């Protein structure tokens, strides 16, 4: 039987931020996992973000951010040979 199964969905998130008067940072990560209603189907997503801001002088501020994401999608892999 290909269909008729429960599809579990999970979402995990974590974030950290802080800093001083001159430098601030933020980090976050996320993992999502979603099963499909058909056997063998699954969707996973991993994301990460990092931001930093620095006040060099009263008039000069610099910042940088990095974002990364990776997705594995097996949601359309129904075996049609059955």
């Amino acid at each position: 039987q290909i269909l008729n199964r429960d599809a579990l969905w999970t979402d995990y998130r974590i974030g950290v931020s802080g800093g001083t008067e001159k430098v601030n940072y933020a980090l976050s990560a996320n993992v999502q996992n979603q099963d499909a209603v058909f056997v063998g189907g699954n969707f996973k997503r991993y994301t990460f973000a990092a931001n930093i801001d620095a006040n060099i002088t009263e008039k000069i501020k610099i910042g940088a951010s990095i974002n990364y994401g990776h997705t594995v999608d097996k949601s359309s892999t129904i075996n049609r040979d059955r």
Side-chain angles (χ1 to χ4, degrees):
Q1 187 173 15
I2 295 174
L3 296 176
N4 266 348
R5 83 171 189 171
D6 293 337
L8 181 64
W9 182 75
T10 55
D11 185 14
Y12 301 101
R13 297 173 189 235
I14 188 167
V16 178
S17 63
T20 66
E21 188 175 307
K22 293 195 173 232
V23 178
N24 291 305
Y25 67 89
L27 303 169
S28 65
N30 185 337
V31 177
Q32 294 178 327
N33 183 28
Q34 183 176 4
D35 291 333
V37 293
F38 57 87
V39 175
N42 185 273
F43 177 85
K44 291 183 181 181
R45 176 179 289 146
Y46 307 91
T47 58
F48 173 79
N51 300 303
I52 188 165
D53 293 310
N55 296 322
I56 304 302
T57 67
E58 189 176 305
K59 294 184 179 183
I60 299 174
K61 180 179 180 180
I62 62 171
S65 44
I66 298 171
N67 294 294
Y68 172 78
H70 179 72
T71 301
V72 177
D73 187 357
K74 296 180 182 177
S75 63
S76 60
T77 58
I78 295 177
N79 184 355
R80 290 180 172 40
D81 294 336
R82 291 185 180 193

